[in-house]
Amino acid sequence: ALPIYVDPRSGATSAAGTLAVTGASTLTGAVTGASSIRSSSGTAGIGYTNGAGGTVTQATSKSTGVTLDKICGEIVMNNATLNRSTAVSFTLTNSAIAAPDAVIVNIKSGATANAYNVAVTAVAAGSCRIQLHNLLGGTDLSEAVVLTFVVIKAVAA
């Protein structure tokens, strides 16, 4: 049997050895591991559940900044024209972002196939800068591109 200890003052629970959980589990509060957290599932992976994300829509142009204080989510870009071979940047203000974090952004939908490149070009405490580039040399595009993003918490030391 696995020795489990509950601190009577704090209510903290600890277990010595390997703890295996079969079925769904809900943990409330921070989980810290001295080694690694891994998924052996070929399809489930590691990610977020309902309630962790959100959606925001750009108001007036593709360069208009947006605010979404969620660890992950979608940004529906304005459908203003992005000229051929041109890039535009905007700021995502987000209290979940810390300076050492990695923010990953991808094109989800609403975009002509192979027409754009998207990247995070800067990360700071409380925000990041996202750039969308129209790669087509001969075509202006007016699409409401939908981006997805995720913040991966990181430290510098």
Side-chain angles (χ1 to χ4, degrees):
L2 183 67
I4 296 177
Y5 172 75
V6 178
D7 184 321
R9 288 173 289 167
S10 68
T13 304
S14 62
T18 301
L19 177 64
V21 178
T22 303
S25 258
T26 301
L27 301 174
T28 304
V31 176
T32 303
S35 182
S36 61
I37 298 171
R38 299 183 245 184
S39 172
S40 62
S41 170
T43 57
I46 298 172
Y48 299 100
T49 190
N50 290 335
T55 300
V56 66
T57 301
Q58 276 184 320
T60 56
S61 73
K62 281 186 166 51
S63 62
T64 301
V66 297
T67 299
L68 182 60
D69 293 324
K70 296 284 191 169
I71 198 80
C72 58
E74 294 182 352
I75 301 165
V76 180
M77 295 188 72
N78 187 278
N79 66 349
T81 299
L82 183 56
N83 294 330
R84 59 185 158 261
S85 301
T86 301
V88 66
S89 295
F90 67 93
T91 298
L92 166 62
T93 302
N94 185 325
S95 62
I97 299 172
D101 292 347
V103 181
I104 299 171
V105 64
N106 295 301
I107 296 171
K108 178 183 177 185
S109 63
T112 298
N114 302 315
Y116 298 98
N117 187 24
V118 66
V120 173
T121 59
V123 177
S127 70
C128 70
R129 193 94 178 131
I130 298 174
Q131 182 180 76
L132 183 72
H133 185 196
N134 177 349
L135 300 173
L136 301 181
T139 306
D140 294 341
L141 297 169
S142 299
E143 300 175 312
V145 178
V146 179
L147 307 176
T148 58
F149 74 90
V150 64
V151 178
I152 299 176
K153 304 309 287 177
V155 294

